[in-house]
Amino acid sequence: MPKILIVGGGYAGFYTAWKLEKWLRAGEAEVTVVDPLPYMTYQPFLPEVASGSIEPRHAVVSLRRHLKKTRVIAGKVEKITHAEKTVTILPNAGEQYELDYDIIVVTAGAVSRTFPIPGIADEAIGLKTIEEATAIRDRILTNFDKASQLPEGPERDRLLTFVVVGGGFAGIEIFAEMRSFASALLDKYPELEFEDTHFHLIEAMGRIMPEVSVKTANWVVKNLAERGAEVHLETQVQGAVGGLVELSTGVSFESDTIVWTAGVMASPMLKNTDLPTEERGRLRVRPDLRVHDDKDEVVIDAWGAGDVSAVPDLSGGGVGGFCVPNAQHAVRQGKQLAKNLVSELRGEDLKDYEHKNLGAVAGLGLGVGAFQSGKIGITGLPAWFMHRGYHGLAMPSWERKFRVVWGWVLNFFLGRDIVSLEARVHPRAAFEEFASRPRVAVAAEPAAAGHPGPAGAPVPVGGAVSKE
């Protein structure tokens, strides 16, 4: 059987494997997925995870549970040598080894793109993984606990000042969800007032959310201002050393929580491959999702999709002629790639990937949303229901859909869970603090010449004796 190797278990990789399991005949191909994480993260839910509206485990999809016919390898692909059809794998446990394949599908995704701004690498946190979203939630809760014990002053202001860098969809959603979360928490902290909390979003451009109309974007800015959140447009972060955020406008303030959402870049793994990449480091891909070189010649048995690939946008709505890196494209590309792979194995014609974006929807905290489709813009509660309805249906597998929707229902009646589990980062701390340890043996001093030690005391010979 031909061996199909999928590098990356995110949206595109998971959906490619999931659909191959459905469409391949028995014995037609052997499929393997390599990813250091055993799950796919549904990233549109990360803002709601950070605000306590969704249980973290419900926003991820287990690869081993849902890919029943696919071999899953937990590890990193360190190098791709397509000329020899081998990859070098560093497993999560064990020694590095090489694995051969017949067909490779590169869906390694993207990572946060940052700039060499002093302090950002040390102080900020991204929003690409479930772990980051959970850490943001726990940080907010822990900071509220600490601030409630402090008098008014710089330290309390620092704990209750929250900053998001980047005014795209991800940045606006996490910013609005954090504001909504903090406002709800104030009922549980009588020591704190609404005016004690400070929220700043920093955007270098003159507007937010380029996917929606100017009218809708301006409504979002106004809505956030009414909720006590400030949006700084045409502003750049110049430094964040020690949590001191310095802006290009001359404004500065201290913050204990800085979330970075200002862009993504293709997985750096592509630097270690002989597959062709373009100037931004993305895999060169044709509309049918086959890899091609700079002469537009197809690279046999190599495919790519998702954020790691420069997929032409045949609808004409992309940036620079390519599909924007988002979940909507990655999911659909994964499905189309699986269809084309099956067609290729059976000698059938391939189809180009083409998807016209019908609209964009964002959740902006409980009961608030924004939707845009062409010239139609919907804001407020109706858009919020549209956001939850769309993503509730888009979540893969009925098992995951049920868990997410049931969690929303419970939160409606019982409210959000506000327990911080920040101590999970050092789970052995409490055990270590009180654990008994063996007493250290102490060497006895040798008796002076002619003066033996006390009656009954042993005299050490060539070694130490415990005082007991």
Side-chain angles (χ1 to χ4, degrees):
M1 289 189 294
K3 293 179 287 187
I4 301 173
L5 179 66
I6 301 174
V7 180
Y11 291 117
F14 172 79
Y15 272 90
T16 299
W18 205 27
K19 296 305 179 181
L20 283 175
E21 287 194 349
K22 179 179 179 181
W23 296 326
L24 284 173
R25 302 183 186 118
E28 195 168 11
E30 174 188 300
V31 182
T32 300
V33 172
V34 183
D35 196 288
L37 298 175
Y39 49 79
M40 183 211 83
T41 302
Y42 192 75
Q43 292 181 352
F45 280 156
L46 293 184
E48 289 201 60
V49 170
S51 64
S53 293
I54 292 180
E55 170 65 27
R57 280 189 173 85
H58 296 170
V60 297
V61 180
S62 169
L63 299 182
R64 294 185 184 276
R65 176 168 184 166
H66 294 280
L67 299 179
K68 297 179 173 61
K69 303 175 186 177
T70 301
R71 179 189 179 194
V72 177
I73 297 177
K76 293 181 179 179
V77 171
E78 299 275 274
K79 184 179 181 181
I80 300 174
T81 308
H82 191 63
E84 301 175 5
K85 291 194 173 181
T86 63
V87 294
T88 303
I89 296 177
L90 179 62
N92 291 352
E95 297 295 325
Q96 180 175 286
Y97 64 93
E98 287 193 349
L99 182 70
D100 63 322
Y101 62 83
D102 296 305
I103 301 169
I104 192 165
V105 177
V106 183
T107 55
V111 298
S112 295
R113 181 192 63 183
T114 57
F115 307 104
I117 301 171
I120 287 295
D122 300 316
E123 302 293 337
I125 184 171
L127 190 67
K128 291 290 292 178
T129 69
I130 196 70
E131 293 81 8
E132 289 172 325
T134 305
I136 293 169
R137 181 201 65 185
D138 288 345
R139 176 69 63 84
I140 294 172
L141 291 168
T142 299
N143 282 10
F144 265 75
D145 283 335
K146 291 178 180 178
S148 66
Q149 307 302 314
L150 295 173
E152 291 185 19
E155 183 56 28
R156 191 167 81 170
D157 286 344
R158 175 189 173 92
L159 291 170
L160 296 178
T161 297
F162 304 93
V163 179
V164 174
V165 184
F169 253 68
I172 290 297
E173 286 192 303
I174 183 63
F175 185 62
E177 288 286 356
M178 289 167 63
R179 174 68 270 184
S180 176
F181 191 28
S183 297
L185 285 176
L186 288 169
D187 290 341
K188 307 296 188 295
Y189 292 89
E191 305 90 345
L192 302 175
E193 301 290 339
F194 182 86
E195 293 73 19
D196 295 327
T197 60
H198 313 283
F199 282 79
H200 300 273
L201 182 132
I202 319 300
E203 171 53 48
M205 297 178 64
R207 59 163 296 183
I208 61 169
M209 303 170 72
E211 298 89 345
V212 304
S213 69
V214 173
K215 180 181 178 181
T216 301
N218 289 341
W219 182 91
V220 173
V221 172
K222 181 181 178 182
N223 176 266
L224 288 169
E226 292 171 350
R227 292 158 58 186
E230 186 173 359
V231 176
H232 303 260
L233 297 177
E234 296 183 332
T235 304
Q236 297 178 339
V237 177
Q238 295 187 326
V241 178
L244 177 61
V245 180
E246 299 176 291
L247 305 182
S248 57
T249 56
V251 175
S252 64
F253 44 81
E254 291 198 1
S255 173
D256 193 54
T257 308
I258 304 171
V259 182
W260 182 274
T261 65
V264 297
M265 64 180 184
S267 171
M269 184 275 298
L270 281 186
K271 295 178 182 178
N272 299 318
T273 176
D274 56 356
L275 292 172
T277 57
E278 42 95 79
E279 57 274 8
R280 293 183 58 185
R282 298 174 298 180
L283 200 64
R284 291 183 182 272
V285 173
R286 293 166 61 96
D288 60 14
L289 304 175
R290 289 181 295 175
V291 176
H292 70 92
D293 59 22
D294 55 4
K295 298 179 182 178
D296 202 31
E297 296 289 334
V298 172
V299 177
I300 303 300
D301 295 330
W303 303 72
D307 295 358
V308 78
S309 301
V311 180
D313 191 339
L314 301 183
S315 73
V319 178
F322 297 102
C323 296
V324 295
N326 63 22
Q328 193 173 145
H329 279 304
V331 168
R332 288 173 170 81
Q333 288 169 12
K335 294 177 181 179
Q336 187 61 56
L337 198 158
K339 288 181 180 178
N340 281 353
L341 258 176
V342 173
S343 297
E344 176 95 335
L345 290 172
R346 297 173 184 171
E348 300 170 357
D349 293 336
L350 308 184
K351 292 184 179 180
D352 290 344
Y353 170 75
E354 183 174 1
H355 171 67
K356 183 174 178 57
N357 194 347
L358 299 179
V361 63
L364 306 173
L366 287 180
V368 186
F371 169 80
Q372 188 75 45
S373 179
K375 295 181 180 180
I376 300 174
I378 301 174
T379 55
L381 185 61
W384 180 74
F385 278 116
M386 295 170 71
H387 173 267
R388 286 208 160 176
Y390 172 77
H391 287 296
L393 291 173
M395 185 70 177
S397 86
W398 285 104
E399 176 254 341
R400 292 286 103 177
K401 296 181 201 294
F402 181 80
R403 290 181 188 273
V404 169
V405 174
W406 182 240
W408 284 335
V409 172
L410 289 179
N411 285 348
F412 179 80
F413 291 104
L414 305 177
R416 288 182 277 204
D417 199 324
I418 61 169
V419 176
S420 170
L421 298 177
E422 196 169 46
R424 79 195 186 288
V425 179
H426 303 289
R428 296 188 64 251
F431 179 82
E432 288 180 336
E433 182 179 357
F434 302 106
S436 298
R437 290 177 170 81
R439 297 193 179 188
V440 179
V442 179
E445 294 184 4
H451 293 83
V459 178
V461 179
V465 178
S466 170
K467 286 184 178 181
E468 297 181 350

